Tab-separated table of all heavy atoms in Angstrom:
chain	number	residue	atom	x	y	z
A	1153	GLY	N	0.807	-1.224	0.072
A	1153	GLY	CA	0.021	0.029	0.004
A	1153	GLY	C	0.867	1.298	-0.015
A	1153	GLY	O	1.777	1.457	-0.907
A	1154	ALA	N	0.660	2.079	0.970
A	1154	ALA	CA	1.513	3.353	1.101
A	1154	ALA	C	2.780	3.273	1.899
A	1154	ALA	O	3.621	4.156	2.011
A	1154	ALA	CB	0.595	4.422	1.771
A	1155	TYR	N	2.979	1.949	2.279
A	1155	TYR	CA	4.217	1.707	3.189
A	1155	TYR	C	5.306	1.015	2.592
A	1155	TYR	O	5.155	-0.139	2.212
A	1155	TYR	CB	3.732	1.057	4.555
A	1155	TYR	CG	2.620	1.711	5.149
A	1155	TYR	CD1	1.397	1.123	5.383
A	1155	TYR	CD2	2.781	3.074	5.826
A	1155	TYR	CE1	0.396	1.706	6.080
A	1155	TYR	CE2	1.773	3.575	6.358
A	1155	TYR	CZ	0.549	3.002	6.570
A	1155	TYR	OH	-0.649	3.614	7.165
A	1156	HIS	N	6.480	1.674	2.541
A	1156	HIS	CA	7.657	0.833	1.872
A	1156	HIS	C	8.312	0.093	3.068
A	1156	HIS	O	8.592	0.666	4.149
A	1156	HIS	CB	8.537	1.792	1.227
A	1156	HIS	CG	9.613	1.054	0.475
A	1156	HIS	ND1	10.893	0.806	1.104
A	1156	HIS	CD2	9.692	0.680	-0.858
A	1156	HIS	CE1	11.636	0.273	0.099
A	1156	HIS	NE2	10.892	0.205	-0.974
A	1157	SER	N	8.823	-1.181	2.641
A	1157	SER	CA	9.401	-2.003	3.705
A	1157	SER	C	10.591	-1.422	4.421
A	1157	SER	O	10.810	-1.500	5.683
A	1157	SER	CB	9.834	-3.319	3.042
A	1157	SER	OG	10.692	-3.179	2.010
A	1158	PHE	N	11.469	-0.623	3.718
A	1158	PHE	CA	12.550	0.007	4.283
A	1158	PHE	C	12.271	1.402	4.848
A	1158	PHE	O	12.547	1.720	5.990
A	1158	PHE	CB	13.742	0.105	3.383
A	1158	PHE	CG	14.925	0.644	3.932
A	1158	PHE	CD1	15.814	-0.151	4.793
A	1158	PHE	CD2	15.415	1.898	3.896
A	1158	PHE	CE1	16.952	0.329	5.439
A	1158	PHE	CE2	16.653	2.440	4.405
A	1158	PHE	CZ	17.394	1.724	5.265
A	1159	ASP	N	11.522	2.219	4.016
A	1159	ASP	CA	11.348	3.637	4.347
A	1159	ASP	C	10.493	3.711	5.661
A	1159	ASP	O	10.704	4.660	6.494
A	1159	ASP	CB	10.641	4.377	3.254
A	1159	ASP	CG	11.675	4.412	1.915
A	1159	ASP	OD1	12.852	4.286	2.078
A	1159	ASP	OD2	11.047	4.561	0.910
A	1160	MET	N	9.541	2.812	5.868
A	1160	MET	CA	8.694	2.904	6.866
A	1160	MET	C	8.972	2.006	8.076
A	1160	MET	O	8.897	2.494	9.289
A	1160	MET	CB	7.199	2.436	6.416
A	1160	MET	CG	6.104	2.712	7.401
A	1160	MET	SD	5.902	4.490	7.827
A	1160	MET	CE	4.822	4.364	9.221
A	1161	PHE	N	9.588	0.854	7.740
A	1161	PHE	CA	9.725	-0.197	8.921
A	1161	PHE	C	11.131	-0.539	9.046
A	1161	PHE	O	11.446	-1.259	9.934
A	1161	PHE	CB	8.967	-1.343	8.516
A	1161	PHE	CG	7.492	-1.273	8.228
A	1161	PHE	CD1	6.929	-1.307	7.029
A	1161	PHE	CD2	6.635	-0.906	9.268
A	1161	PHE	CE1	5.586	-1.147	6.741
A	1161	PHE	CE2	5.352	-0.697	9.066
A	1161	PHE	CZ	4.754	-0.922	7.847
A	1162	ASN	N	12.207	0.071	8.281
A	1162	ASN	CA	13.593	-0.226	8.402
A	1162	ASN	C	13.840	-1.677	8.227
A	1162	ASN	O	14.615	-2.329	8.965
A	1162	ASN	CB	14.168	0.258	9.710
A	1162	ASN	CG	14.337	1.716	9.626
A	1162	ASN	OD1	15.510	2.128	9.193
A	1162	ASN	ND2	13.506	2.540	10.274
A	1163	LEU	N	13.211	-2.390	7.276
A	1163	LEU	CA	13.353	-3.828	6.978
A	1163	LEU	C	14.229	-4.006	5.728
A	1163	LEU	O	14.104	-3.199	4.824
A	1163	LEU	CB	12.040	-4.441	6.577
A	1163	LEU	CG	10.876	-4.315	7.647
A	1163	LEU	CD1	9.621	-5.067	7.129
A	1163	LEU	CD2	11.384	-5.127	8.888
A	1164	ILE	N	15.278	-4.812	6.008
A	1164	ILE	CA	16.234	-5.178	4.934
A	1164	ILE	C	15.805	-6.473	4.321
A	1164	ILE	O	15.893	-7.623	5.032
A	1164	ILE	CB	17.621	-5.180	5.521
A	1164	ILE	CG1	18.030	-3.837	6.073
A	1164	ILE	CG2	18.625	-5.673	4.417
A	1164	ILE	CD1	19.219	-3.914	6.795
A	1165	MET	N	15.503	-6.555	3.118
A	1165	MET	CA	15.090	-7.719	2.427
A	1165	MET	C	16.130	-8.879	2.221
A	1165	MET	O	17.088	-8.322	1.590
A	1165	MET	CB	14.282	-7.528	1.118
A	1165	MET	CG	13.682	-8.677	0.578
A	1165	MET	SD	12.884	-8.421	-1.040
A	1165	MET	CE	11.655	-7.388	-0.803
A	1166	ASN	N	16.011	-9.925	2.689
A	1166	ASN	CA	17.046	-11.019	2.474
A	1166	ASN	C	16.671	-11.994	1.287
A	1166	ASN	O	17.519	-12.417	0.649
A	1166	ASN	CB	17.230	-11.841	3.821
A	1166	ASN	CG	17.705	-10.946	4.933
A	1166	ASN	OD1	18.571	-10.099	4.797
A	1166	ASN	ND2	17.103	-11.150	6.142
A	1167	SER	N	15.330	-12.157	1.290
A	1167	SER	CA	14.928	-13.142	0.282
A	1167	SER	C	13.383	-12.925	-0.087
A	1167	SER	O	12.733	-12.371	0.707
A	1167	SER	CB	15.145	-14.625	0.546
A	1167	SER	OG	14.329	-14.950	1.676
A	1168	LYS	N	13.013	-13.398	-1.125
A	1168	LYS	CA	11.500	-13.315	-1.475
A	1168	LYS	C	11.217	-14.491	-2.501
A	1168	LYS	O	11.989	-15.061	-3.167
A	1168	LYS	CB	11.280	-12.055	-2.308
A	1168	LYS	CG	11.880	-11.920	-3.682
A	1168	LYS	CD	11.480	-10.563	-4.337
A	1168	LYS	CE	12.199	-10.342	-5.622
A	1168	LYS	NZ	13.755	-10.092	-5.350
A	1169	GLU	N	9.857	-14.903	-2.330
A	1169	GLU	CA	9.388	-16.018	-3.051
A	1169	GLU	C	8.100	-15.513	-3.753
A	1169	GLU	O	7.230	-14.959	-3.080
A	1169	GLU	CB	9.098	-17.154	-2.228
A	1169	GLU	CG	10.413	-17.880	-1.582
A	1169	GLU	CD	9.958	-19.024	-0.683
A	1169	GLU	OE1	8.948	-19.616	-0.890
A	1169	GLU	OE2	10.899	-19.308	0.159
A	1170	ILE	N	7.960	-15.663	-5.059
A	1170	ILE	CA	6.665	-15.310	-5.798
A	1170	ILE	C	6.178	-16.618	-6.361
A	1170	ILE	O	6.821	-17.059	-7.347
A	1170	ILE	CB	7.049	-14.254	-6.864
A	1170	ILE	CG1	7.848	-13.089	-6.410
A	1170	ILE	CG2	5.683	-13.769	-7.539
A	1170	ILE	CD1	7.171	-12.254	-5.352
A	1171	GLU	N	5.149	-17.165	-5.883
A	1171	GLU	CA	4.555	-18.363	-6.356
A	1171	GLU	C	3.956	-18.272	-7.679
A	1171	GLU	O	3.563	-17.212	-8.128
A	1171	GLU	CB	3.639	-18.946	-5.243
A	1171	GLU	CG	4.194	-19.357	-3.988
A	1171	GLU	CD	3.158	-19.966	-3.089
A	1171	GLU	OE1	1.937	-20.020	-3.492
A	1171	GLU	OE2	3.503	-20.455	-2.026
A	1172	ILE	N	3.977	-19.347	-8.425
A	1172	ILE	CA	3.071	-19.396	-9.631
A	1172	ILE	C	1.799	-19.981	-9.305
A	1172	ILE	O	1.691	-20.970	-8.551
A	1172	ILE	CB	3.880	-20.439	-10.718
A	1172	ILE	CG1	5.382	-19.973	-10.908
A	1172	ILE	CG2	3.078	-20.508	-11.925
A	1172	ILE	CD1	5.372	-18.719	-11.550
A	1173	PRO	N	0.714	-19.315	-9.684
A	1173	PRO	CA	-0.594	-19.637	-9.240
A	1173	PRO	C	-0.859	-20.900	-9.796
A	1173	PRO	O	-0.659	-21.292	-11.085
A	1173	PRO	CB	-1.456	-18.493	-9.838
A	1173	PRO	CG	-0.711	-17.891	-10.837
A	1173	PRO	CD	0.699	-17.922	-10.407
A	1174	GLU	N	-1.543	-21.853	-8.956
A	1174	GLU	CA	-1.905	-23.189	-9.444
A	1174	GLU	C	-3.188	-23.164	-10.340
A	1174	GLU	O	-4.082	-22.407	-10.107
A	1174	GLU	CB	-2.095	-24.099	-8.230
A	1174	GLU	CG	-2.480	-25.494	-8.519
A	1174	GLU	CD	-2.722	-26.355	-7.311
A	1174	GLU	OE1	-2.359	-25.944	-6.223
A	1174	GLU	OE2	-3.299	-27.448	-7.516
A	1175	ILE	N	-3.177	-23.935	-11.387
A	1175	ILE	CA	-4.356	-23.941	-12.317
A	1175	ILE	C	-5.505	-24.839	-11.618
A	1175	ILE	O	-5.159	-25.878	-10.977
A	1175	ILE	CB	-4.002	-24.736	-13.662
A	1175	ILE	CG1	-2.950	-23.930	-14.414
A	1175	ILE	CG2	-5.125	-24.950	-14.508
A	1175	ILE	CD1	-2.376	-24.652	-15.495
A	1176	LYS	N	-6.643	-24.355	-11.768
A	1176	LYS	CA	-7.924	-24.962	-11.248
A	1176	LYS	C	-8.278	-26.015	-12.177
A	1176	LYS	O	-8.871	-25.807	-13.136
A	1176	LYS	CB	-8.955	-23.997	-10.971
A	1176	LYS	CG	-8.802	-22.965	-9.793
A	1176	LYS	CD	-10.012	-22.210	-9.629
A	1176	LYS	CE	-9.980	-21.234	-8.375
A	1176	LYS	NZ	-11.169	-20.457	-8.167
A	1177	LYS	N	-7.785	-27.242	-11.906
A	1177	LYS	CA	-8.054	-28.270	-12.834
A	1177	LYS	C	-9.497	-28.896	-12.661
A	1177	LYS	O	-9.971	-29.124	-11.522
A	1177	LYS	CB	-7.108	-29.427	-12.704
A	1177	LYS	CG	-5.702	-29.145	-13.085
A	1177	LYS	CD	-4.731	-30.278	-12.911
A	1177	LYS	CE	-3.337	-29.851	-13.301
A	1177	LYS	NZ	-2.435	-30.924	-12.998
A	1178	ILE	N	-10.279	-29.062	-13.716
A	1178	ILE	CA	-11.518	-29.615	-13.753
A	1178	ILE	C	-11.413	-30.925	-14.656
A	1178	ILE	O	-11.261	-30.843	-16.061
A	1178	ILE	CB	-12.573	-28.646	-14.216
A	1178	ILE	CG1	-12.586	-27.381	-13.473
A	1178	ILE	CG2	-13.909	-29.267	-14.200
A	1178	ILE	CD1	-13.552	-26.351	-14.050
A	1179	GLN	N	-11.381	-32.122	-13.976
A	1179	GLN	CA	-11.281	-33.283	-14.788
A	1179	GLN	C	-12.405	-34.327	-14.365
A	1179	GLN	O	-12.781	-34.383	-13.258
A	1179	GLN	CB	-9.900	-33.970	-14.575
A	1179	GLN	CG	-8.764	-33.142	-14.994
A	1179	GLN	CD	-7.403	-33.790	-14.671
A	1179	GLN	OE1	-7.370	-34.382	-13.659
A	1179	GLN	NE2	-6.466	-33.553	-15.469
A	1180	VAL	N	-13.032	-34.929	-15.443
A	1180	VAL	CA	-14.055	-35.823	-15.182
A	1180	VAL	C	-13.589	-37.219	-15.658
A	1180	VAL	O	-13.218	-37.521	-16.777
A	1180	VAL	CB	-15.345	-35.452	-16.117
A	1180	VAL	CG1	-16.429	-36.395	-15.781
A	1180	VAL	CG2	-15.696	-34.019	-15.684
A	1181	ASP	N	-13.800	-38.094	-14.688
A	1181	ASP	CA	-13.510	-39.587	-14.911
A	1181	ASP	C	-14.533	-40.127	-15.521
A	1181	ASP	O	-15.829	-39.947	-15.254
A	1181	ASP	CB	-13.086	-40.297	-13.631
A	1181	ASP	CG	-12.373	-41.574	-13.729
A	1181	ASP	OD1	-12.081	-41.893	-14.938
A	1181	ASP	OD2	-12.132	-42.320	-12.863
A	1182	ILE	N	-14.317	-40.931	-16.625
A	1182	ILE	CA	-15.283	-41.604	-17.333
A	1182	ILE	C	-15.460	-43.116	-16.936
A	1182	ILE	O	-14.677	-43.991	-17.051
A	1182	ILE	CB	-15.079	-41.716	-18.853
A	1182	ILE	CG1	-14.765	-40.198	-19.348
A	1182	ILE	CG2	-16.084	-42.249	-19.752
A	1182	ILE	CD1	-14.244	-40.155	-20.807
A	1183	PRO	N	-16.593	-43.342	-16.268
A	1183	PRO	CA	-16.903	-44.752	-15.956
A	1183	PRO	C	-16.882	-45.778	-17.052
A	1183	PRO	O	-17.362	-45.439	-18.097
A	1183	PRO	CB	-18.310	-44.737	-15.205
A	1183	PRO	CG	-18.578	-43.186	-14.903
A	1183	PRO	CD	-17.777	-42.420	-15.916
A	1184	ASN	N	-16.169	-46.798	-16.799
A	1184	ASN	CA	-16.090	-47.891	-17.820
A	1184	ASN	C	-15.465	-47.430	-19.087
A	1184	ASN	O	-15.720	-47.945	-20.244
A	1184	ASN	CB	-17.515	-48.502	-18.137
A	1184	ASN	CG	-18.063	-49.018	-16.889
A	1184	ASN	OD1	-17.536	-49.719	-16.144
A	1184	ASN	ND2	-19.511	-48.741	-16.708
A	1185	GLY	N	-14.600	-46.347	-19.017
A	1185	GLY	CA	-13.976	-45.857	-20.265
A	1185	GLY	C	-12.560	-45.560	-19.827
A	1185	GLY	O	-12.122	-45.551	-18.687
A	1186	HIS	N	-11.741	-45.254	-20.989
A	1186	HIS	CA	-10.284	-44.941	-20.771
A	1186	HIS	C	-10.132	-43.487	-20.428
A	1186	HIS	O	-10.858	-42.623	-21.060
A	1186	HIS	CB	-9.569	-45.351	-22.028
A	1186	HIS	CG	-9.622	-46.838	-22.279
A	1186	HIS	ND1	-8.994	-47.800	-21.631
A	1186	HIS	CD2	-10.139	-47.480	-23.426
A	1186	HIS	CE1	-9.195	-48.909	-22.106
A	1186	HIS	NE2	-9.964	-48.799	-23.173
A	1187	GLY	N	-9.201	-43.227	-19.548
A	1187	GLY	CA	-8.853	-41.905	-19.434
A	1187	GLY	C	-9.812	-40.989	-18.711
A	1187	GLY	O	-10.751	-41.380	-18.109
A	1188	ILE	N	-9.481	-39.666	-18.931
A	1188	ILE	CA	-10.363	-38.653	-18.258
A	1188	ILE	C	-10.715	-37.661	-19.221
A	1188	ILE	O	-9.899	-37.408	-20.316
A	1188	ILE	CB	-9.784	-38.059	-17.037
A	1188	ILE	CG1	-8.222	-37.337	-17.311
A	1188	ILE	CG2	-9.595	-39.003	-16.007
A	1188	ILE	CD1	-7.848	-36.637	-16.257
A	1189	VAL	N	-11.714	-36.811	-19.015
A	1189	VAL	CA	-11.938	-35.640	-19.845
A	1189	VAL	C	-11.610	-34.320	-19.108
A	1189	VAL	O	-11.928	-34.148	-17.968
A	1189	VAL	CB	-13.612	-35.530	-20.131
A	1189	VAL	CG1	-13.907	-34.164	-20.839
A	1189	VAL	CG2	-13.989	-36.756	-21.013
A	1190	ASP	N	-10.647	-33.585	-19.663
A	1190	ASP	CA	-10.157	-32.441	-19.008
A	1190	ASP	C	-11.039	-31.238	-19.531
A	1190	ASP	O	-11.060	-30.925	-20.691
A	1190	ASP	CB	-8.697	-32.239	-19.441
A	1190	ASP	CG	-8.080	-31.044	-18.616
A	1190	ASP	OD1	-8.682	-30.021	-18.385
A	1190	ASP	OD2	-6.949	-31.380	-17.997
A	1191	MET	N	-11.618	-30.590	-18.519
A	1191	MET	CA	-12.573	-29.426	-18.774
A	1191	MET	C	-12.037	-28.171	-18.274
A	1191	MET	O	-12.701	-27.177	-18.075
A	1191	MET	CB	-13.998	-29.714	-18.166
A	1191	MET	CG	-14.554	-30.960	-18.816
A	1191	MET	SD	-16.231	-31.273	-18.148
A	1191	MET	CE	-17.248	-29.859	-18.780
A	1192	THR	N	-10.662	-28.089	-17.992
A	1192	THR	CA	-10.051	-26.995	-17.465
A	1192	THR	C	-10.328	-25.657	-18.146
A	1192	THR	O	-10.625	-24.594	-17.507
A	1192	THR	CB	-8.585	-27.211	-17.299
A	1192	THR	OG1	-8.334	-28.307	-16.512
A	1192	THR	CG2	-7.822	-25.996	-16.607
A	1193	SER	N	-10.328	-25.719	-19.506
A	1193	SER	CA	-10.582	-24.607	-20.337
A	1193	SER	C	-11.889	-24.467	-21.000
A	1193	SER	O	-12.282	-23.815	-21.966
A	1193	SER	CB	-9.468	-24.455	-21.447
A	1193	SER	OG	-8.176	-24.446	-20.836
A	1194	PHE	N	-12.916	-25.192	-20.238
A	1194	PHE	CA	-14.187	-25.287	-20.828
A	1194	PHE	C	-14.931	-23.862	-21.034
A	1194	PHE	O	-15.565	-23.623	-21.835
A	1194	PHE	CB	-15.080	-26.140	-19.958
A	1194	PHE	CG	-16.556	-26.282	-20.395
A	1194	PHE	CD1	-16.729	-27.361	-21.385
A	1194	PHE	CD2	-17.550	-25.571	-19.927
A	1194	PHE	CE1	-17.979	-27.418	-21.911
A	1194	PHE	CE2	-18.887	-25.814	-20.351
A	1194	PHE	CZ	-19.001	-26.780	-21.367
A	1195	PHE	N	-14.576	-22.978	-20.096
A	1195	PHE	CA	-15.248	-21.671	-20.163
A	1195	PHE	C	-14.295	-20.657	-20.765
A	1195	PHE	O	-14.564	-19.411	-20.496
A	1195	PHE	CB	-15.540	-21.226	-18.639
A	1195	PHE	CG	-16.613	-22.080	-18.002
A	1195	PHE	CD1	-16.301	-23.070	-17.080
A	1195	PHE	CD2	-17.938	-21.892	-18.365
A	1195	PHE	CE1	-17.270	-23.719	-16.399
A	1195	PHE	CE2	-18.896	-22.731	-17.792
A	1195	PHE	CZ	-18.641	-23.658	-16.797
A	1196	GLY	N	-13.393	-21.048	-21.584
A	1196	GLY	CA	-12.685	-20.190	-22.478
A	1196	GLY	C	-11.272	-19.913	-21.981
A	1196	GLY	O	-10.336	-19.645	-22.882
A	1197	GLU	N	-10.799	-19.983	-20.745
A	1197	GLU	CA	-9.564	-19.904	-20.385
A	1197	GLU	C	-9.250	-20.648	-19.034
A	1197	GLU	O	-10.139	-20.725	-18.356
A	1197	GLU	CB	-9.171	-18.309	-20.167
A	1197	GLU	CG	-9.925	-17.725	-18.913
A	1197	GLU	CD	-9.438	-16.366	-18.653
A	1197	GLU	OE1	-8.208	-16.071	-18.815
A	1197	GLU	OE2	-10.251	-15.637	-17.897
A	1198	PRO	N	-8.119	-21.113	-18.685
A	1198	PRO	CA	-7.884	-21.713	-17.512
A	1198	PRO	C	-8.184	-20.728	-16.331
A	1198	PRO	O	-7.877	-19.506	-16.400
A	1198	PRO	CB	-6.452	-22.101	-17.587
A	1198	PRO	CG	-5.978	-22.097	-18.899
A	1198	PRO	CD	-6.841	-20.990	-19.530
A	1199	LYS	N	-8.650	-21.274	-15.226
A	1199	LYS	CA	-8.865	-20.383	-14.022
A	1199	LYS	C	-7.679	-20.781	-13.028
A	1199	LYS	O	-7.209	-21.821	-13.058
A	1199	LYS	CB	-10.155	-20.603	-13.320
A	1199	LYS	CG	-11.302	-20.455	-14.275
A	1199	LYS	CD	-11.312	-18.935	-14.883
A	1199	LYS	CE	-12.558	-18.891	-15.884
A	1199	LYS	NZ	-12.572	-17.663	-16.608
C-alpha cells in the first residue's frame, strides 16, 4: 500500500518468493472408459 518496507519499517530484504498460481483443474473420470475428460478450459481460459 502506502508503506515501503525500508522507508517505513527499516526492513532489509534478504529473500523473496513469488509463487506461480496453481491451475484450477476440472477433470471428469469416465466410468467404464479410458482416461479422463479435461474441462479446465471449458469456459474459455484456465482459471
Side-chain angles (χ1 to χ4, degrees):
Y1155 306 115
H1156 189 272
S1157 56
F1158 184 81
D1159 297 339
M1160 186 67 190
F1161 305 109
N1162 277 281
L1163 300 178
I1164 300 171
M1165 186 187 295
N1166 299 317
S1167 65
K1168 63 179 176 293
E1169 297 177 21
I1170 310 296
E1171 291 182 359
I1172 303 299
E1174 182 181 347
I1175 298 171
K1176 290 184 176 181
K1177 294 182 179 180
I1178 305 174
Q1179 297 178 325
V1180 180
D1181 195 4
I1182 304 173
N1184 303 315
H1186 297 293
I1188 59 174
V1189 176
D1190 193 312
M1191 302 180 65
T1192 302
S1193 300
F1194 181 79
F1195 295 103
E1197 64 168 340
K1199 306 301 181 185

